[in-house]
Amino acid sequence: MDLTRYFDNAASTPCDPRVIEEMLPFLHLNPGNPHSIHAFGRYAESAVEQARQRIAELIGAEDPSQIIFTSGATESNHLVLHSFGERVVTSLVEHSSVREMAQRNNLKSFGQLGSKTLVESIGADQVASLIAVSNEVGTMLAPEAYRELRPGRLHLDATQLVGKFQLDGLNFDFLSGSGHKFYGPKGIGFLYAQDPTELTPLGVGGGQENGLRSGTLNVPGIVGMGCAASIAIEEMASDLDHAQQLRSIVCEELASVSDLRINGGSEVSPYILSISVQGVEAETLLLELDAAGFAVSAGAACSSRDTGNNPVLEAMGLEPDWIRGTLRISFGRFNSRDAAQALGRTLRHVIENTRALRR
Ligand code: PMP
């Protein structure tokens, strides 16, 4: 498998080799539990606290104690929703971890990101839980919307934003992130809380993370995510530039294809390219690209096995015909420009050939 052809970075990024190197000692040489008082434990604890500081620096948190380690953004999102219950308001275009939890608990969900209905629906005593960058189409929550939302509280599901964009200037009360979306390991994430005492834990037990998240800390994962955060601080600008170039290359290759639309609007993350083509099913495209060694996704990975039904794209007003032909290409640090060109060219040929066969 050729990593340069892996264009499913929104589903999960590869672990950076520098991250793996920092994690390795914590998988064998130092098995210490950070809550043990012996030297192994103390060493693990200091590594965890260093990682907490690195995450705080990445997102511009005032104090590392505002960072709570979790198993990933799903759990971070649930921690906020659980803590504020009926006071939470969400949009209709959230990640499934928020959308389905909101449905299950009969929470209020309105409109799209930045839409007037959504903004007007958020009262001063409410907590808006909103996706900062759509994992499906890359739409970014507009900065004006953040400011308009300020009367209420704001939880950002920033899983597709963290490590990729500067967060300074954004006003938020809570923020979720996942290590494996910015070249850290899977199964580790964090929640930032401006005031962690407002949170109610999902479970009880050992009382780790100031009682907010019981369970032995995933030390190798935390160390890896911390390292990924430091790399992101250094390389964010060049990574972004790289993603922009890759996206343009693929778009240029597809420019001549008829009945093709690019989703996500004008404020879109360069890391995600969502296209819809008419008359060709996304699954066909995905399998043809797979056969050529390219990994892409038919929508979000969590829903990619069910390509006919996509509540987020429906809420965005995409007709079923277009939804069936929706493909997500997502870019990352390890893609090459040559691979992006080859992907665009192959995709163009597959669309044209499939349409020709159907005529
Ligand atoms: N929110 C968004 C926007 C995501 O893209 C994802 C991952 N697809 C999640 C939450 C959940 O992250 P995880 O699977 O790491 O818990």
Side-chain angles (χ1 to χ4, degrees):
M1 284 189 281
D2 174 0
L3 194 54
T4 66
R5 293 187 167 220
Y6 175 81
F7 288 95
D8 202 10
N9 291 279
S12 198
T13 50
C15 235
D16 192 293
R18 293 166 286 184
V19 166
I20 299 169
E21 207 167 304
E22 274 205 34
M23 289 171 68
L24 275 177
F26 295 94
L27 290 163
H28 178 68
L29 285 176
N30 185 359
N33 183 322
H35 287 86
S36 300
I37 56 175
H38 46 62
F40 290 90
R42 293 196 307 274
Y43 186 67
E45 189 194 12
S46 73
V48 164
E49 293 317 312
Q50 187 200 30
R52 205 185 299 279
Q53 223 148 26
R54 289 165 137 184
I55 297 289
E57 197 187 330
L58 175 66
I59 66 160
E62 265 171 37
D63 193 321
S65 68
Q66 294 170 309
I67 307 295
I68 300 129
F69 290 120
T70 64
S71 62
T74 298
E75 187 188 335
S76 304
N77 291 343
H78 290 175
L79 186 49
V80 174
L81 267 56
H82 172 73
S83 299
F84 292 95
E86 286 176 357
R87 287 171 59 196
V88 176
V89 178
T90 73
S91 84
L92 294 169
V93 295
E94 296 303 310
H95 180 261
S96 49
S97 59
V98 169
R99 200 182 60 246
E100 290 183 23
M101 195 52 103
Q103 272 165 2
R104 187 196 276 187
N105 295 324
N106 292 320
L107 304 180
K108 298 193 179 76
S109 302
F110 301 92
Q112 297 197 36
L113 291 186
S115 72
K116 223 165 161 257
T117 26
L118 175 65
V119 172
E120 285 173 0
S121 307
I122 298 162
D125 60 336
Q126 282 174 315
V127 180
S129 177
L130 300 178
I131 193 162
V133 175
S134 164
N135 56 308
E136 302 255 3
V137 295
T139 308
M140 298 182 77
L141 188 61
E144 316 81 73
Y146 289 102
R147 280 195 292 275
E148 283 184 63
L149 286 168
R150 284 311 287 167
R153 319 279 300 289
L154 182 60
H155 163 233
L156 284 184
D157 174 357
T159 314
Q160 302 287 349
L161 188 80
V162 170
K164 300 189 167 113
F165 299 89
Q166 293 286 355
L167 303 187
D168 350 342
L170 298 185
N171 262 321
F172 48 83
D173 303 284
F174 303 95
L175 181 131
S176 303
S178 244
H180 69 115
K181 307 289 185 178
F182 59 101
Y183 312 101
K186 296 174 180 60
I188 184 71
F190 67 90
L191 177 69
Y192 158 87
Q194 217 222 325
D195 178 4
T197 63
E198 288 185 301
L199 296 167
T200 308
L202 288 159
V204 290
Q208 287 87 349
E209 299 295 87
N210 288 323
L212 289 172
R213 206 280 181 166
S214 279
T216 303
L217 293 177
N218 171 358
V219 180
I222 291 169
V223 167
M225 183 168 67
C227 176
S230 287
I231 297 172
I233 293 169
E234 291 299 316
E235 302 183 4
M236 195 177 285
S238 56
D239 280 351
L240 189 64
D241 187 49
H242 185 54
Q244 258 151 356
Q245 289 185 29
L246 298 171
R247 195 176 189 277
S248 305
I249 290 170
V250 177
C251 286
E252 265 167 45
E253 284 294 334
L254 296 175
S256 63
V257 178
S258 62
D259 292 322
L260 178 148
R261 52 174 286 174
I262 293 177
N263 305 308
S266 54
E267 288 296 319
V268 72
S269 163
Y271 283 95
I272 294 179
L273 172 62
S274 166
I275 60 158
S276 297
V277 288
Q278 209 138 44
V280 188
E281 270 162 29
E283 202 171 20
T284 309
L285 301 175
L286 192 148
L287 294 176
E288 291 284 345
L289 289 173
D290 184 39
F294 296 105
V296 298
S297 159
C302 341
S303 55
S304 62
R305 288 180 197 279
D306 185 6
T307 50
N309 169 14
N310 189 318
V312 171
L313 297 180
E314 273 168 35
M316 289 176 174
L318 213 63
E319 288 91 36
D321 220 25
W322 288 104
I323 293 179
R324 273 192 291 277
T326 301
L327 206 64
R328 183 186 70 183
I329 300 163
S330 46
F331 306 99
R333 193 179 283 162
F334 300 104
N335 293 127
S336 66
R337 295 162 60 109
D338 284 350
Q341 187 122 42
L343 167 71
R345 201 180 312 126
T346 309
L347 183 52
R348 174 159 48 84
H349 290 153
V350 174
I351 296 169
E352 286 166 355
N353 293 346
T354 313
R355 280 179 177 162
L357 282 174
R358 296 212 170 144
R359 258 183 224 126

